[in-house]
Amino acid sequence: MSAQYDVLVVGGRVAGASTAMLLARAGARVALVERSAYGSDTVSTHGLMRTGVMQLSRWGLLDRLTGTPPIRCTTFHYSDREPEQVPIRALYAPRRQLLDRVLVDAAAEAGVEVRHGMVVTSLLRDDGGRVTGVRTRDGSELTAGITIGADGIRSTIASATGAPVVRRGRSRSAVLYRYYAGVESTGYEWAYAPGGGAGLLPTTDGATCVFVATTPERMRSLRRGGTEQAFATLLADMAPSLTDLLIPATPVDRMHGWAGAAGFFRQAWGPGWALVGDAGYYKDPITTHGMTDALRDAELLSDALTGAGPESAALAKYQATRDELSTALFEVTESVASYAWSLDEARVLLRKVSSAMKAEVAQFAL
């Protein structure tokens, strides 16, 4: 059976759409399937860090984040001292309806065949066990030289291939967040107090994402009094100065929540398949780096599949590079998401977060 496509990407959000776009720009015949509707929202940390911004700029897509303001300052709030402001190069925190759409549109412009509303149910394999494509809920069969799972932490592709978890974390953040209009923020605002954190991220079309995070146990306890009360209590505890910023603001959306999940590294490849984004590597959202990870690993995987040499060697190198670039940030994120730190310890951990991000930028700028 001849393959319909060189590459089939399952999952059409940040990781999948970026991977499909880059492979198509390199000349591959690519199909991209996504179960959700075009331009739909999803749970997100929003913040793009420097590596992700660099990539979108290189790909000619940064100026398509219309209505998303550049962020040039980060303010750190601690409950035991005055806020600390740090100037930064322009970062962005787009809503996912915008970012995902920009990346999917760029993939389609590069020649990718994009199909939304398509649910993958199982894999196709040849007699030797190599993955050769997928079967969908409507009975369609799509064949490809390689099938890429970019379908999130509960990846169908990872499950169907039996991709093992090679490292698992323990820490988990439970998060509540909501969008507000009319927040007068200078940029990113991060707040820390014993047992949790909070933050403000200016996002698309004048909205600001306001979040609170703590341990799942504490969140469950607080939510017994109602979600609104839990949100207000945590925000007041973690960041009273941010609470003041919300007095003139207006909620523009419902409350969103994330119950928490332990981080992991999965085996990233096998015969006829590979994983990218949260399907292959996930860490707690408290360090706001998930979308940047997805963009970074999309480029690493695309480079591996379009380079010279045997597929197995290229994909093994992809996984090794992914793990090398991810380990330091994964480890410090585990510590931050434990919420077992003192404020002095929190400041040390956040410096380690910054150092890990700088190392990633230096590596990716080569």
Side-chain angles (χ1 to χ4, degrees):
M1 176 176 62
S2 61
Q4 293 171 268
Y5 307 101
D6 298 318
V7 183
L8 171 63
V9 182
V10 179
R13 294 200 177 269
V14 175
S18 300
T19 304
M21 176 198 71
L22 292 169
L23 289 168
R25 286 182 175 183
R29 292 173 298 147
V30 184
L32 176 66
V33 300
E34 165 59 39
R35 65 187 304 150
S36 63
Y38 172 74
S40 59
D41 199 9
T42 189
V43 173
S44 179
T45 55
H46 296 301
L48 283 168
M49 298 304 159
R50 281 185 59 195
T51 304
V53 173
M54 287 166 49
Q55 289 177 280
L56 290 177
S57 180
R58 272 197 287 109
W59 300 343
L61 302 179
L62 193 58
D63 61 358
R64 299 191 188 186
L65 299 181
T66 54
T68 305
I71 295 164
R72 304 186 186 278
C73 179
T74 296
T75 303
F76 294 91
H77 302 260
Y78 301 99
S79 59
D80 65 342
R81 64 171 61 183
E82 291 299 307
E84 302 172 6
Q85 284 196 334
V86 180
I88 55 176
R89 297 185 183 182
L91 300 178
Y92 297 83
R95 288 289 300 266
R96 291 296 295 275
Q97 300 102 311
L98 173 62
L99 179 61
D100 292 0
R101 190 171 67 244
V102 163
L103 292 167
V104 166
D105 289 349
E109 291 164 12
V112 176
E113 183 178 320
V114 180
R115 304 189 191 185
H116 281 89
M118 180 168 279
V119 178
V120 170
T121 57
S122 59
L123 296 177
L124 304 175
R125 297 179 184 269
D126 64 16
D127 293 341
R130 180 183 174 88
V131 172
T132 58
V134 302
R135 184 175 292 105
T136 67
R137 183 175 290 170
D138 65 6
S140 301
E141 293 187 354
L142 305 176
T143 59
I146 188 162
T147 299
I148 295 173
D151 48 343
I153 63 173
R154 298 174 182 86
S155 167
T156 297
I157 303 304
S159 177
T161 59
V165 172
V166 296
R167 180 174 183 180
R168 189 179 296 278
R170 293 196 220 172
S171 298
R172 294 184 297 146
S173 291
V175 180
L176 292 173
Y177 68 97
R178 171 181 272 165
Y179 303 97
Y180 288 80
V183 178
E184 295 297 327
S185 171
T186 60
Y188 284 153
E189 309 262 358
W190 310 125
Y192 302 90
L200 274 64
L201 298 94
T203 185
T204 306
D205 294 335
T208 296
C209 177
V210 182
F211 76 88
V212 294
T214 188
T215 64
E217 295 77 17
R218 185 181 184 192
M219 185 68 80
R220 283 194 296 270
S221 176
L222 289 170
R223 290 188 71 168
R224 293 190 188 107
T227 300
E228 295 287 347
Q229 184 61 40
F231 182 83
T233 298
L234 285 167
L235 191 61
D237 286 351
M238 304 304 157
S241 59
L242 301 189
T243 303
D244 293 342
L245 291 176
L246 298 187
I247 292 173
T250 304
V252 295
D253 201 357
R254 64 179 177 85
M255 191 77 72
H256 302 260
W258 173 248
F264 59 80
F265 291 79
R266 283 189 178 118
Q267 171 70 26
W269 65 280
W273 62 271
L275 302 176
V276 71
D278 285 348
Y281 159 59
Y282 164 79
K283 67 178 175 303
D284 192 89
I286 190 61
T287 47
T288 324
H289 205 262
M291 295 194 305
T292 300
D293 284 335
L295 295 169
R296 180 200 70 192
D297 292 350
E299 188 159 346
L300 292 175
L301 179 55
S302 174
D303 288 347
L305 292 174
T306 55
E311 175 185 283
S312 59
L315 290 175
K317 183 179 179 182
Y318 155 66
Q319 178 170 326
T321 305
R322 179 202 70 175
D323 293 356
E324 179 182 355
L325 293 176
S326 303
T327 295
L329 193 52
F330 182 87
E331 291 174 349
V332 70
T333 298
E334 281 286 296
S335 296
V336 176
S338 74
Y339 301 105
W341 30 258
S342 68
L343 288 174
D344 284 340
E345 290 168 337
R347 286 184 276 272
V348 172
L349 290 172
L350 293 173
R351 286 194 290 272
K352 290 182 178 180
V353 169
S354 178
S355 178
M357 290 186 185
K358 288 177 181 177
E360 177 184 75
V361 170
Q363 174 77 24
F364 226 69
L366 295 176

